Amino acid sequence: MKETPVILVSGYLGAGKTTLINNLLREPNGKRLAILVNEFGELAIDEDLIEAKDDNLISISGGCICCSFGDDLSGALSDLAKFLPAPDYILIESSGVALPNQIVANVGLLNKFFMAGVVCIVDCSNVLQKLRDGYVSDLIASQIENSNLIILNKTDACSAQKLELIKEQISVDLNANLIASTTFSNISFEILEELQGISAACSDTDHADDVFDSVVIYPSNIDDPVNLGNLLLNATGIERAKGYFEDIANNRWLIQISSGALQLKQVQDHFPIGIVVIGLKGHFDISTVASLVQR
Amino acid sequence: MQKTKIYSAKKIYTMNPCRPIVSHVAVKEGKILGAGSLEELASWGEFDLDDTFNEKVIMPGFVEGHAHTMEGTLWRKVYLGWFDRTDPSGKTWPGLKSINEIIERLSAAEKELSNEDLPLSGWSIDPIYMDNQRISRQALDQVSRTRPIGVLHASGHILNVNSKGLELAGLLKKGINHPGIPIGNDGYPTGELYGPDAMTPVGKHVGFDRSMTDCDEQGLRDYARLCVRAGVTTCTDLAARLTEESVSMMLRVTGEANFPACIVPLKVFFGMSPKDLVEFVKEIQTLSTERLRLGRIKAVLDGSIQGFSARLNWPGYFNGSPNGLWYTSPEQLLELYSLALENNLQIHTHTNGDQATQLAIETLEAVLKVHPSFDHRFTLQHCQLASTAQFRKMSKLGMCVNLFANHHYYWGDEHYRLTVGPERAERMNACRTALDANVNMAIHSDAPITPLAPLFTAWCAVNRLTVSERVQGEHEKISIEEAMFAITLGAAYTLHMDHEIGSIEIGKRADFAILEDDPFEAKPVDLKNIAVWGTVQSGRIFEADNLS
Ligand SMILES: [Zn+2]
């Protein structure tokens, strides 16, 4: 039986988890998503996305659904397993005080699902403060440390200098190395899909981080898209890449590299900019790839 | 109009300092018309004299400020605890002292079950009294290989299941990697499940559904019978899910003519935004009746100390375990407290660790500056590790506390040597410190975790003995008088009900505990042995040995 990939969206209260979920529901990239949220609060799902609604299930345009799980996540997941046709992805929006590894362990108990990855959204406007807070610093650190992808959100709410500090704390002190930056939780679904790529590519090891290094780059004003594609393709140690960038004429491009092949095409939709680049640890030269953007 | 009834008694302790001990109490329309001499009470006019309690000692009906009516439902499962315990029908089940005895009682119960698919469930085992011997799934398989079996620990935090139970949950397999599911030498789960995350997926197959934190209809009736046996006339249900259905069930059952207690359920803050919760609770508050008091909220900040999930201040756990879990974030607590004070609702907050207690104190202090409230009586429940400074602060802020005196007896030894170490174990459930700091204090059983029995709870607070018969924290002992206050007016005050219950005083509800002996004259160590004849609730007589 095919197992449904589960992506956990973690992060502290107010970090932007709900906004991310709503953004993904707007641009699900042709995928049917099932979203599990802790509760239907006031701000759960944007009204205009809702097709029908009852006590704990919301139907969303494009075949997506959203359920609340309250205090019984495994029960809600078992219910979803009966749902036909099965969704392409299940996204769990955890409560702000949940520890990701607990949820990962719980999902691991259920047949029919596998954890494709954990995303942690970090609120740049207050994360440094929270990491010093006596009550929640250990909780926030644990959320960051136990994720596969860190999304630095609300980057417009802090200075470039502070952003550097945040990145340093997260990558050096908390040893989390896959970081994307955004405002308003603006991350394309394809970046999340890459998480599944990571998990699948190293299914026999515990930690993606043990095998892969990765970086997210944000190229814009690119004068020669094909040249950028080839530079990436030939970068040392690269395994795969996927995402969008903008050329000098403000055209959006989709770039995809896998199994040594480059795919490049212009797209109409305004997907958020950002390319996830993944390579083998020890071989992959992150700084060279990162420098591609600076040119 | 109903005629006045005057009860005579060997002694009536009123808990009203104006006339602390009287010989007679007059009851009319379910209320107390007066407490005094027969001569004084006769002056109210026509009456019937009732000498049923001539040889008994009467106290105000006991108020249990922290228990769960789910105990009523649990008694339909097999009791397997270490200590003797009395069920709602009055039968005392002897405590079981070995795994063999546990297997025997389960096997006997298994033979009684007709339907082959029915799960067999037991409750209240506690391996710490049996040198921490674990009960493997193979042991439970001796009872049955084909029927799912689940046995809940006394703490409520661990569940043991047999192979069939694991199989039904799809967990009888190798390769499981979960912190709450230990694996045996054969590569399969041992059958022990730690914490709600591991328990939930299996629990529903072995008779422990998640919704069982709410009692059912028969459970509520059975629970009320336990109240009568314990002398309890008002009892909280401290963390009910309180759905619309369960509220209407509770209204119906408590409304039955012979329902013998007043139940005070608190709606737990979980799975609902603070705003929705406050609205819902305000709505159901209007449905309150004389025997079902709605309109209070319980928040849960952290976990338990013995489960290492309580939030501790520095230096943390004695055995080096990492700090515990937050079940509610500081921001959510702030929002909930603000909305509650704004809407005149009372919150009881579960805090076990001293860091959780600190958060509750600081949050309330901040909120009170915005919403001044002179009689909020926000109550910290358990609050087991609070420091002297925290009690002083709570006093200044007008907070109340309900300390878990029973816990000290059952698990005090564990805390001393394993979880928090000697110094903090001695100050756990610091009744003396709370009273000296002028914090209004109640003490509780947290039934079904420990048995509902306020006189036993009082004994715990007065003697501070642990199971190993060590006095732990001599300084924190309180007097019998103080303990009697805690289980009557002290608890009533934490519920904003001290104007109607908690003392035998003109105008209050005619709620009495009818005792065979005098607790005030008893030796402290004998307090728990005082027998309860039954209760009078709203003027209605309920004899424990003669309940319908
Ligand atoms: Zn409790």
Side-chain angles (χ1 to χ4, degrees):
Chain A
M1 194 183 359
K2 193 175 159 290
E3 294 185 325
T4 310
V6 177
I7 294 173
L8 175 62
V9 179
S10 112
Y12 196 64
L13 253 78
K17 299 188 292 290
T18 308
T19 314
L20 174 76
I21 299 272
N22 277 292
N23 287 343
L24 296 174
L25 284 170
R26 270 177 211 290
E27 306 279 359
N29 197 23
K31 298 295 193 305
R32 292 175 59 259
L33 310 181
I35 314 279
L36 285 173
V37 300
N38 211 218
E39 64 193 64
F40 288 160
E42 302 139 73
L43 308 163
I45 300 290
D46 291 346
E47 280 297 329
D48 64 305
L49 291 167
I50 297 176
E51 275 186 349
K53 190 174 182 177
D54 73 20
D55 270 359
N56 45 18
L57 186 96
I58 294 176
S59 303
I60 292 151
S61 47
C64 298
I65 53 166
C66 179
C67 317
S68 63
F69 62 84
D71 56 357
D72 188 7
L73 177 63
S74 39
L77 278 169
S78 312
D79 289 347
L80 264 185
K82 295 172 210 144
F83 208 80
L84 287 172
D88 298 312
Y89 284 92
I90 294 173
L91 269 77
I92 299 172
E93 181 189 343
S94 69
S95 91
V97 289
L99 297 179
N101 26 3
Q102 272 190 340
I103 296 179
V104 168
N106 292 345
V107 171
L109 292 182
L110 302 164
N111 304 320
K112 301 177 188 167
F113 304 100
F114 76 94
M115 265 328 283
V118 181
V119 183
C120 178
I121 308 192
V122 170
D123 181 348
C124 292
S125 69
N126 66 17
V127 64
L128 290 178
Q129 197 185 322
K130 293 280 180 211
L131 282 169
R132 283 191 304 266
D133 181 296
Y135 290 120
V136 295
S137 56
D138 56 335
L139 166 67
I140 307 254
S142 168
Q143 288 178 339
I144 292 173
E145 282 171 318
N146 292 293
S147 300
N148 306 108
L149 170 69
I150 305 294
I151 297 174
L152 297 180
N153 197 23
K154 307 186 192 177
T155 50
D156 54 343
C158 65
S159 63
Q161 191 194 6
K162 200 166 155 196
L163 192 60
E164 277 315 303
L165 211 61
I166 293 172
K167 282 183 180 164
E168 192 184 303
Q169 278 223 8
I170 287 179
S171 57
V172 179
D173 302 348
L174 300 174
N175 197 23
N177 57 5
L178 181 51
I179 303 179
S181 308
T182 183
T183 54
F184 305 110
S185 301
N186 213 355
I187 292 289
S188 85
F189 190 73
E190 283 166 337
I191 288 187
L192 297 193
E193 281 195 274
E194 278 305 319
L195 287 168
Q196 189 188 345
I198 302 169
S199 298
C202 56
S203 52
D204 47 6
T205 62
D206 271 342
H207 258 289
D209 327 349
D210 298 343
V211 185
F212 293 100
D213 266 339
S214 41
V215 63
V216 182
I217 55 174
Y218 303 92
S220 57
N221 286 325
I222 297 296
D223 44 14
D224 186 349
V226 178
N227 186 40
L228 176 73
N230 283 324
L231 283 171
L232 269 179
L233 182 64
N234 297 318
T236 315
I238 190 166
E239 280 290 309
R240 54 173 76 223
K242 189 169 185 181
Y244 297 92
F245 65 91
E246 209 170 51
D247 67 18
I248 201 151
N250 289 338
N251 298 311
R252 233 10 102 89
W253 291 78
L254 165 69
I255 179 168
Q256 237 175 322
I257 295 171
S258 68
S259 318
L262 168 70
Q263 230 190 67
L264 202 57
K265 74 173 183 218
Q266 210 174 314
V267 290
Q268 293 310 315
D269 297 321
H270 272 243
F271 293 114
I273 291 177
I275 306 172
V276 187
V277 189
I278 299 166
L280 283 174
K281 203 165 212 156
H283 298 274
F284 183 39
D285 183 1
I286 291 187
S287 55
T288 308
V289 169
S291 71
L292 293 175
V293 192
Q294 260 90 63
R295 295 168 340 116
Chain B
M1 198 164 41
Q2 236 185 323
K3 208 161 153 195
T4 301
K5 196 174 249 184
I6 295 181
Y7 296 102
S8 56
K10 193 152 102 188
K11 228 174 192 181
I12 300 174
Y13 287 95
T14 65
M15 305 302 289
N16 170 13
C18 302
R19 30 180 70 195
I21 301 173
V22 298
S23 59
H24 290 78
V25 58
V27 174
K28 187 177 182 175
E29 293 165 25
K31 292 195 170 69
I32 296 164
L33 183 64
S37 66
L38 181 60
E39 202 180 11
E40 286 173 324
L41 298 176
S43 62
W44 278 98
E46 218 184 327
F47 66 90
D48 286 331
L49 187 63
D50 189 323
D51 62 1
T52 315
F53 307 134
N54 244 351
E55 296 305 312
K56 317 287 181 204
V57 173
I58 299 183
M59 277 192 67
F62 298 142
V63 182
E64 172 52 87
H66 184 154
H68 303 272
T69 57
M70 73 180 276
E71 173 156 5
T73 309
L74 277 178
W75 274 110
R76 301 210 297 278
K77 307 180 187 304
V78 190
Y79 176 70
L80 302 170
W82 171 264
F83 301 92
D84 296 359
R85 192 148 165 173
T86 306
D87 73 13
S89 77
K91 174 175 174 181
T92 298
W93 295 77
L96 302 178
K97 308 298 182 189
S98 70
I99 292 181
N100 272 346
E101 287 181 27
I102 289 174
I103 299 300
E104 272 170 38
R105 189 175 286 173
L106 278 171
S107 298
E110 204 269 340
K111 293 192 180 69
E112 305 276 299
L113 287 178
S114 48
N115 188 327
E116 251 179 42
D117 304 326
L118 274 181
L120 176 66
S121 332
W123 63 289
S124 207
I125 60 165
D126 204 337
I128 64 166
Y129 306 122
M130 297 188 277
D131 298 326
N132 272 311
Q133 284 183 75
R134 313 322 280 184
I135 300 176
S136 63
R137 72 185 154 83
Q138 287 86 354
L140 293 176
D141 286 347
Q142 292 169 38
V143 179
S144 173
R145 232 351 290 234
T146 53
R147 187 194 293 285
I149 301 175
V151 175
L152 190 66
H153 285 228
S155 68
H157 301 297
I158 307 173
L159 179 69
N160 278 89
V161 298
N162 69 343
S163 303
K164 185 70 185 178
L166 286 173
E167 186 192 315
L168 289 176
L171 293 179
L172 193 59
K173 61 180 182 190
K174 291 187 179 179
I176 287 176
N177 179 14
H178 191 285
I181 306 182
I183 303 297
N185 293 333
D186 58 359
Y188 290 90
T190 61
E192 278 206 298
L193 306 166
Y194 291 81
D197 285 343
M199 286 158 64
T200 311
V202 193
K204 59 186 168 204
H205 299 289
V206 295
F208 290 103
D209 207 278
R210 206 73 207 264
S211 62
M212 67 163 286
T213 50
D214 281 4
C215 71
D216 58 6
E217 196 162 329
Q218 189 191 333
L220 186 53
R221 289 192 193 99
D222 285 343
Y223 187 76
R225 297 199 286 166
L226 290 171
C227 289
V228 173
R229 295 188 185 289
V232 171
T233 49
T234 300
C235 186
T236 50
D237 186 4
L238 212 86
R241 304 222 272 188
L242 283 190
T243 58
E244 269 164 42
E245 302 86 83
S246 70
V247 168
S248 66
M249 182 278 283
M250 289 179 111
L251 281 168
R252 190 173 66 248
V253 173
T254 56
E256 289 165 3
N258 59 353
F259 191 85
C262 171
I263 305 290
V264 186
L266 276 72
K267 166 90 177 162
V268 66
F269 172 45
F270 204 89
M272 232 178 173
S273 71
K275 194 160 160 267
D276 292 345
L277 176 70
V278 164
E279 261 166 45
F280 179 81
V281 171
K282 273 174 77 177
E283 187 62 39
I284 59 171
Q285 189 170 43
T286 61
L287 302 173
S288 288
T289 65
E290 190 59 27
R291 291 206 283 277
L292 190 70
R293 297 303 177 86
L294 299 155
R296 295 169 182 80
I297 293 171
K298 172 165 178 204
V300 179
L301 274 195
D302 65 343
S304 72
I305 301 165
Q306 72 270 38
F308 301 100
S309 50
R311 292 289 308 193
L312 267 54
N313 274 335
W314 193 89
Y317 286 101
F318 196 43
N319 71 347
S321 284
N323 209 346
L325 306 173
W326 291 112
Y327 291 146
T328 300
S329 67
E331 289 82 355
Q332 287 171 304
L333 190 74
L334 183 70
E335 191 184 348
L336 181 66
Y337 276 11
S338 309
L339 280 168
L341 284 187
E342 211 181 310
N343 288 280
N344 270 317
L345 292 179
Q346 193 203 16
I347 313 259
H348 285 236
T349 308
H350 160 124
T351 68
N352 258 320
D354 47 359
Q355 192 187 37
T357 295
Q358 189 63 27
L359 175 64
I361 291 171
E362 284 175 11
T363 305
L364 185 62
E365 183 173 27
V367 173
L368 280 170
K369 285 177 184 151
V370 185
H371 302 286
S373 178
F374 303 102
D375 193 22
H376 55 80
R377 305 191 198 179
F378 274 29
T379 300
L380 295 187
Q381 292 283 352
H382 299 327
C383 198
Q384 297 201 79
L385 275 177
S387 67
T388 310
Q390 288 177 330
F391 280 115
R392 281 192 292 262
K393 191 86 186 173
M394 287 165 64
S395 170
K396 282 275 186 265
L397 295 175
M399 298 172 91
C400 305
V401 74
N402 192 345
L403 295 170
F404 197 173
N406 287 20
H407 191 99
H408 191 78
Y409 171 72
Y410 289 104
W411 292 290
D413 293 323
E414 287 288 290
H415 293 311
Y416 190 92
R417 55 180 191 81
L418 185 67
T419 64
V420 296
E423 184 170 347
R424 285 175 298 177
E426 285 185 358
R427 80 155 196 235
M428 277 180 82
N429 296 295
C431 294
R432 173 83 275 135
T433 301
L435 293 179
D436 288 351
N438 277 320
V439 177
N440 178 83
M441 181 193 77
I443 48 182
H444 67 269
S445 69
D446 202 12
I449 305 301
T450 76
L452 176 72
L455 286 173
F456 174 75
T457 304
W459 174 88
C460 292
V462 168
N463 295 287
R464 283 191 74 91
L465 285 162
T466 64
V467 169
S468 67
E469 292 176 350
R470 256 175 346 105
V471 172
Q472 189 165 292
E474 176 72 38
H475 169 73
E476 295 297 348
K477 285 182 177 176
I478 56 173
S479 70
I480 290 183
E481 289 73 16
E482 287 165 328
M484 293 297 125
F485 187 91
I487 60 174
T488 54
L489 272 172
Y493 188 89
T494 66
L495 300 172
H496 276 288
M497 288 176 76
D498 54 310
H499 60 296
E500 36 178 350
I501 56 171
S503 61
I504 299 178
E505 203 170 335
I506 185 165
K508 286 195 172 185
R509 200 163 69 195
D511 285 4
F512 311 138
I514 312 294
L515 311 176
E516 300 287 1
D517 273 308
D518 184 342
F520 291 85
E521 305 260 286
K523 274 197 258 154
V525 288
D526 293 333
L527 205 50
K528 67 180 165 71
N529 303 325
I530 290 176
V532 176
W533 178 90
T535 60
V536 172
Q537 207 276 344
S538 274
R540 301 165 305 152
I541 299 179
F542 298 98
E543 182 183 0
D545 283 340
N546 219 342
L547 286 173
S548 51

